[in-house]
Amino acid sequence: METSLRWLDSPGGQGVTWGVPWPRGAVSPDAPFALTGPGGQETPVQSWVTATWPDGSVKWSAHAAVPPGDGPYRLHPGQEPAAPPSPVTVARENGRLTVSTGTVAWTIEDAGETLVRSAARDGREILRDVRLISLRQDGPTPDEGGTVHRQRATGRIERVTVEQDGPVRAVVRAEGRHGDWLPFTVRLYFYAGAEDVRIVHSFVWDGDPGRDFLAGLGLRAGVVMRDEPHDRHVRLAGPGGFLTEAVRGLTGLRRDPGEEVRRAQVAGRPCGPIGDPEVSGRLHLIPAWNDYTLDQLSADGYLLRKRTAEGHAWVTIPSGTRSAGYGYLGGVSGGLGFGLRDFWRLHPTRLDVRDAAQDLATATVWLWSPSAPAMDLRFWHDGLGQDTHAAQLEGLEITYEDHEPGFGDAHGIARTHELTLRVYGATPAHPDLAAHAAAMNEPPLLVAGPGRIRAAGVFGDWAPADRSTPARAAIEDRLDFLFDLYEREREQRRWYGFWDYGDVMHTYDADRRTWRYDVGGYAWDNSELSPDLWLWYQFLRTGRAGVFRFAEAMTRHTGEVDVYHLGRWKGLGSRHNVQHWGCSCKQLRISSAVYRRIFYYLTADERTGDLLDEVAGAEEAYAALDPLRKLRRGGHDPSAPSVGLGTDWGALAAAWLTRWERHGDERARDRLLGTMTGIGALPRGFLTGEARLDLATGRFDTSRDAVEVSHLSAVFGLPEICSELIALGLDAPGFERAWLDYCRLYLAAPERQAAETGRALTGISLIQAHSRLAAYAAARLGDAGLAALAWRKFFRDEGDQLNSNALQREPEWRLTRVEGPHVPAALWDAPFVSTNDAAQYGLAAIQNLALIPGHLPED
């Protein structure tokens, strides 16, 4: 089945990698793929499998190409691909790799202090000695008193691995450390015919927050300068254009070199001979500008300055607001483009040009600007005397912060940045620079449409956006409204910065009219209640580019910053807090693979694949830490810990499923099926609440006969992963029944709960969120009464035992029949509350617990 593809937002013109899902049994794992463009024109493509169905057929495939135009494009399984005219090649000899794209030859050493030794275009060396650099302080900024010492370090490459070697795409992974700390992984992406390399830099912070303060982190590249100073050029991006300068300027002089010379220099063309001796005889008297700096210290402004040489004063250049983070350094015979994606959003950042008047200049992209105060990751308060579990639980009751001494530790968190180096054969024209900066900040991506993705049967039960009736349109409008609200709030509240960009806030403070950025557990959200899933399913349903970009930034953040990648809590994440790592609640519900896998399959992003692999054995973290240590009455057995069947098992199941379908991992499959069968064998199934998991065998102790539910169990990806597992039809007796029982009974009348479990359920909350469970059960069981219950609970939050919200206020309409401009009378008629509609709205439309406009009193 051929698949139509479109550009997510802007068209390509450069290398792109994307993913496509396939229905079970449709594509064999050894099938080739061909790509065609407008008019059936063949486009070279490289393909590989990223996931398989249980029967071995392809579930997700990944593809790399350099599509030349707007499209549309079509992917054809079973057809041989066209070969690129200039394939990318990788050769290893004498401890070095040579990666040739047909346009640029890149030399990479197996180990040492250079990430890239050199890059040449048309036989001319342009780039030399790309290094990772850092600055480390032994104390915070000097305003706290005392003397601060800075230490410079160059990153050392310890291992280089070729992950792909063409013919369209090559990937080289380098691993090492920034001096004696900050382990990093860098991937270099090369495409056939390309003049650029995309660089993805990920590092783990492994310092001591009391004495290690990162004062600068960057990538520095040497640029060979051959041209006369007046034929050398510097370009630095502003918000909508570029600073356009020559190292030795010929404009604005007292003596005019001529209009053609001036125009040529501004355009970046060779100035040619300067005929007027009044000018040519005095060139040595025109200062050469050696150094430039663009400093983006906040999301609202950058500073620009330049100087003639070290030891002389800086001259201020008119500054601006938000730099696009891209620059050029070189001359008419070639040079280097360099930049950082989301430059201003990830502040404090900086671009440096040094020694532009010398034979070898340097361009530096700072991920953390050395102009900013040193990075301070110390915990944000002194503990307030909360030295016992009892005191900490008291603190939870007032600020919602789950504090514990020593747990607000950043040791083990990570961050990923995306950079670009581009080797030009001449100073680029302004439209080309602008296009390259835009492509760096919004990399082109090919995507299949929502209907095509849904037809493949991936990611459980959901449906493309549907505005076919007024009621359906009202729900879609509310979903769009809520996304637009968060997009506006991110901008208005400036949710940007090195560690913060990608996250959102947890709760609003109506009195101060701001989000509770400084109140314990109400500040940064850290995936609480699964905004990641809301965004990804909203993208799957709509195909909106803005939703994708928002979700992408959140995935980059929550998968890196909110999760531990080494140390005592490796594989766990931190609950919501003023600092992303501040809460003592370290749990799988934050590090869950369910939040990363959609992005991974849509993009085949290798770094996200690393994160998915990291949590494949996350159950081992229970041996080191009991997540319920402050509440548990019984003992904690590290070899057979009690695992929650909601947030915990849902995360484990997502990790095991992903590992199995990506790698064919039998251990992951065995643990997934074993625990599913164990849940089915428990007398109360999911209603049991928790069960002991034997870490050695991956099996639950099924002897526990208890009823215990939590309002959080089903709001961290459990419904999504259970829906997907049931759709797979796996051999796990009793599992579907156990899940349907939970879905039926959570919102059932207390009398019904007591009749089936022996007592009414307690701790019931988040009513609207759980209406999708009732909807799912209604769809699976064909129960119209349960479907009606789902709709009623969707609109009216009745029966919440823990929280209050606007849906608990008396509406202006009757619960049994909603009438109004957005919800016609037919909504509650039997045909509309069919099981299909209940499942569609329960699982697809209320991922974000949306309200229907026009049916609640004015607040």
Side-chain angles (χ1 to χ4, degrees):
M1 55 181 296
E2 66 179 38
T3 293
S4 179
L5 303 167
R6 64 172 179 84
W7 291 109
L8 174 67
D9 33 35
S10 56
Q14 65 179 50
V16 58
T17 299
W18 74 98
V20 177
W22 303 95
R24 188 182 333 205
V27 178
S28 65
D30 57 353
F33 292 87
L35 183 68
T36 57
Q41 179 182 2
E42 289 189 330
T43 299
V45 63
Q46 179 177 323
S47 305
W48 61 100
V49 176
T50 52
T52 58
W53 292 97
D55 65 1
S57 61
V58 176
K59 186 175 185 179
W60 282 91
S61 59
H63 310 274
V66 188
D70 293 347
Y73 290 89
R74 300 191 72 82
L75 190 65
H76 308 268
Q79 298 184 20
E80 294 295 330
S86 297
V88 60
T89 61
V90 181
R92 188 187 295 268
E93 186 176 2
N94 298 326
R96 290 188 175 186
L97 294 176
T98 299
V99 181
S100 175
T101 67
T103 302
V104 179
W106 305 79
T107 302
I108 301 167
E109 295 182 331
D110 281 347
E113 293 188 345
T114 61
L115 186 61
V116 177
R117 171 57 75 183
S118 67
R121 179 167 182 158
D122 299 325
R124 297 194 316 275
E125 184 186 30
I126 302 292
L127 175 70
R128 183 184 301 170
D129 293 343
V130 179
R131 305 178 189 272
L132 298 170
I133 58 174
S134 61
L135 300 171
R136 183 184 194 175
Q137 282 184 192
D138 58 4
T141 306
D143 60 7
E144 294 190 15
T147 302
V148 173
H149 300 93
R150 276 194 176 185
Q151 176 184 356
R152 299 177 180 271
T154 300
R156 182 163 185 84
I157 311 299
E158 299 168 351
R159 181 169 60 178
V160 171
T161 306
V162 177
E163 295 185 326
Q164 288 189 330
D165 57 3
V168 176
R169 178 189 196 241
V171 183
V172 177
R173 185 180 77 239
E175 298 165 273
R177 300 179 71 85
H178 289 279
D180 62 355
W181 72 322
L182 304 183
F184 63 78
T185 299
V186 174
R187 281 186 172 88
L188 307 174
Y189 293 87
F190 307 90
Y191 287 87
E195 61 185 7
D196 66 306
V197 58
R198 175 174 173 254
I199 302 173
V200 178
H201 173 276
S202 306
F203 81 98
V204 180
W205 197 87
D206 64 343
D208 178 343
R211 60 180 177 84
D212 294 317
F213 298 82
L214 186 63
L217 183 66
L219 178 144
R220 176 168 293 161
V223 183
V224 179
M225 308 292 280
R226 296 183 176 87
D227 303 297
E228 290 294 324
H230 53 266
D231 276 334
R232 300 181 184 186
H233 307 112
V234 173
R235 306 285 188 260
L236 294 173
F242 283 81
L243 173 74
T244 302
E245 300 229 342
V247 172
R248 182 167 63 200
L250 298 179
T251 64
L253 300 174
R254 186 174 186 182
R255 303 301 180 188
D256 187 3
E259 182 179 2
E260 181 57 34
V261 171
R262 289 185 278 108
R263 286 182 178 274
Q265 187 178 67
V266 171
R269 303 191 306 270
C271 291
I274 301 173
D276 187 347
E278 293 288 317
V279 178
S280 61
R282 296 186 174 100
L283 291 179
H284 64 287
L285 298 176
I286 302 173
W289 296 100
N290 206 49
D291 303 335
Y292 289 77
T293 285
L294 187 156
D295 230 334
Q296 185 86 49
L297 297 182
S298 78
D300 294 311
Y302 61 83
L303 299 175
L304 266 171
R305 50 189 176 147
K306 65 181 182 179
R307 68 183 179 185
T308 57
E310 188 175 355
H312 295 276
W314 289 94
V315 174
T316 301
I317 305 172
S319 301
T321 53
R322 293 171 170 176
S323 168
Y326 192 70
Y328 171 79
L329 170 62
V332 295
S333 63
L336 178 70
F338 54 97
L340 171 66
R341 185 183 182 190
D342 292 323
F343 181 78
W344 61 266
R345 296 180 178 92
L346 291 169
H347 67 81
T349 49
R350 193 167 107 177
L351 299 179
D352 279 350
V353 168
R354 297 290 184 268
D355 296 327
Q358 310 304 314
D359 293 338
L360 184 67
T362 62
T364 306
V365 180
W366 290 99
L367 315 181
W368 183 277
S369 170
S371 307
M375 186 185 294
D376 190 346
L377 302 187
R378 294 174 294 178
F379 189 63
W380 66 284
H381 65 69
D382 65 3
L384 306 171
Q386 299 176 68
D387 297 326
T388 67
H389 286 173
Q392 293 152 23
L393 293 174
E394 283 296 302
L396 186 68
E397 290 299 316
I398 187 65
T399 65
Y400 205 33
E401 182 182 37
D402 190 353
H403 175 72
E404 189 169 344
F407 276 68
D409 189 352
H411 186 98
I413 67 172
R415 198 49 158 146
T416 288
H417 294 79
E418 300 173 54
L419 305 95
T420 293
L421 296 179
R422 185 179 293 268
V423 176
Y424 293 98
T427 299
H430 283 263
D432 293 332
L433 277 172
H436 296 157
M440 177 188 72
N441 280 298
E442 291 192 349
L445 181 68
L446 286 169
V447 294
R452 169 62 181 79
I453 296 176
R454 181 67 190 94
V458 294
F459 303 133
D461 291 274
W462 56 277
D466 182 357
R467 297 180 178 274
S468 61
T469 68
R472 296 170 189 248
I475 292 179
E476 301 296 345
D477 288 345
R478 178 56 59 167
L479 287 164
D480 288 343
F481 163 78
L482 286 173
F483 170 73
D484 294 341
L485 170 68
Y486 272 90
E487 193 172 43
R488 290 194 306 269
E489 286 296 298
R490 179 175 66 183
E491 170 62 13
Q492 180 180 348
R493 312 295 176 174
R494 300 301 192 263
W495 292 339
Y496 304 119
F498 186 99
W499 292 114
D500 298 334
Y501 176 58
D503 206 354
V504 297
M505 285 280 167
H506 183 287
T507 304
Y508 190 73
D509 186 336
D511 294 310
R512 290 188 292 170
R513 297 189 177 183
T514 188
W515 294 80
R516 302 183 199 179
Y517 67 93
D518 58 351
V519 182
Y522 289 116
W524 291 113
D525 188 73
N526 287 31
S527 297
E528 183 73 2
L529 304 186
S530 304
D532 319 58
L533 284 179
W534 159 47
L535 291 167
W536 280 122
Y537 277 94
Q538 183 67 351
F539 169 72
L540 292 175
R541 299 182 61 253
T542 65
R544 286 182 59 183
V547 176
F548 180 95
R549 298 300 184 189
F550 202 112
E552 178 186 21
M554 181 172 287
T555 299
R556 283 281 187 226
H557 169 90
T558 58
E560 304 276 6
V561 182
D562 300 346
V563 176
Y564 290 95
H565 307 271
L566 56 76
R568 52 181 171 163
W569 301 315
K570 180 180 180 180
L572 299 176
S574 295
R575 174 181 170 270
H576 39 97
N577 194 267
V578 171
Q579 290 173 309
H580 298 285
W581 51 88
C583 186
S584 73
C585 181
K586 313 296 186 185
Q587 290 193 339
L588 291 174
R589 76 190 201 196
I590 300 100
S591 61
S592 177
V594 77
Y595 299 138
R596 330 283 176 233
R597 58 201 302 268
I598 297 178
F599 176 64
Y600 171 75
Y601 288 129
L602 291 172
T603 64
D605 178 70
E606 280 83 359
R607 173 57 183 170
T608 306
D610 293 344
L611 302 182
L612 293 171
D613 287 338
E614 282 184 8
V615 298
E619 68 272 17
E620 302 298 332
Y622 284 103
L625 182 68
D626 178 9
L628 296 179
R629 61 196 175 280
K630 300 181 184 181
L631 300 173
R632 195 182 304 281
R633 295 179 180 177
H636 173 63
D637 182 352
S639 64
S642 292
V643 172
L645 301 181
T647 59
D648 295 340
W649 183 82
L652 291 174
W656 291 329
L657 172 62
T658 307
R659 179 75 183 180
W660 176 27
E661 63 187 9
R662 287 184 64 213
H663 300 293
D665 190 313
E666 290 298 320
R667 176 187 181 277
R669 174 188 178 278
D670 179 70
R671 293 193 170 227
L672 176 64
L673 292 177
T675 53
M676 289 174 66
T677 301
I679 291 171
L682 284 165
R684 306 294 180 176
F686 278 97
L687 293 165
T688 310
E690 64 178 36
R692 289 195 176 275
L693 176 65
D694 187 320
L695 295 183
T697 65
R699 295 294 186 271
F700 279 131
D701 177 351
T702 59
S703 64
R704 187 170 192 254
D705 187 359
V707 175
E708 182 181 319
V709 299
S710 167
H711 64 296
L712 298 179
S713 291
V715 290
F716 286 86
L718 183 66
E720 289 78 9
I721 206 66
C722 284
S723 170
E724 191 165 352
L725 292 173
I726 289 171
L728 286 175
L730 302 175
D731 183 15
F735 179 81
E736 181 176 5
R737 175 198 52 76
W739 178 238
L740 291 176
D741 285 349
Y742 189 89
C743 293
R744 284 189 307 106
L745 293 174
Y746 186 91
L747 293 181
E751 298 78 14
R752 178 68 174 272
Q753 295 170 346
E756 295 202 32
T757 69
R759 65 176 179 83
L761 303 182
T762 58
I764 301 298
S765 188
L766 301 178
I767 302 300
Q768 191 185 63
H770 285 83
S771 66
R772 58 188 178 149
L773 272 64
Y776 178 81
R780 297 292 294 185
L781 298 172
D783 188 329
L786 195 54
L789 173 70
W791 271 112
R792 188 168 70 251
K793 298 293 187 177
F794 174 75
F795 284 111
R796 176 71 165 140
D797 192 336
E798 55 183 8
D800 196 308
Q801 301 170 3
L802 302 178
N803 297 296
S804 61
N805 58 65
L807 285 179
Q808 294 167 359
R809 302 171 189 172
E810 188 64 32
E812 296 177 346
W813 37 263
R814 292 172 297 144
L815 295 177
T816 54
R817 190 176 184 84
V818 182
E819 298 184 9
H822 297 298
V823 185
L827 173 65
W828 290 92
D829 292 341
F832 195 81
V833 292
S834 67
T835 55
N836 179 64
D837 284 326
Q840 175 180 337
Y841 284 103
L843 290 172
I846 58 177
Q847 290 292 342
N848 65 333
L849 322 184
L851 305 179
I852 297 297
H855 298 287
L856 292 176
E858 290 293 325
D859 188 355

